[in-house]
Amino acid sequence: MSAHGDVDLGHTVGGWTGATIAGIGVCVAGLGIVLVSGAVITTGVAVIALAVLVTWVLHLAGWGKPSGPRPADQWDWRVKDLTARHGHPDCVGCRLAGRRPGPVAVAVVELFEVVGVSKK
């Protein structure tokens, strides 16, 4: 259960990994500003771009979350999203990867919601 009550804040492996890498990138870029070094600033910005890429790849691998709220049994950050392979409805990341959910994928998502299957 979340410490924030009944709110799903999207804590996922992809989210935590991306945020950590982006935090490191911000620190490197900040150090570059303090040192007045264009090369260090550029490295920090590149690390931030890497964080976006890593987060996107983890989302596509099922370690992110679909848009919108999830059932409470899927709030744990270690829960893998089994529907990611088919693409999430209204998901920009899935559309960029060429994953457009068809009727079968939408039916699978709805089945998981109705049956309450845990994705652990």
Side-chain angles (χ1 to χ4, degrees), residues 25-96:
V26 167
C27 290
V28 171
L31 180 65
I33 291 170
V34 170
L35 297 175
V36 190
S37 171
V40 177
I41 294 171
T42 303
T43 302
V45 171
V47 172
I48 294 169
L50 176 68
V52 171
L53 195 64
V54 166
T55 304
W56 182 46
V57 169
L58 287 171
H59 170 78
L60 294 175
W63 291 110
K65 70 171 248 165
S67 301
R70 297 180 294 177
D73 65 329
Q74 297 171 18
W75 287 1
D76 190 86
W77 66 276
R78 296 165 293 201
V79 175
K80 189 169 184 179
D81 179 17
L82 301 177
T83 63
R85 177 184 307 167
H86 305 291
H88 299 114
D90 301 323
C91 177
V92 174
C94 291
R95 275 189 265 147
L96 286 173

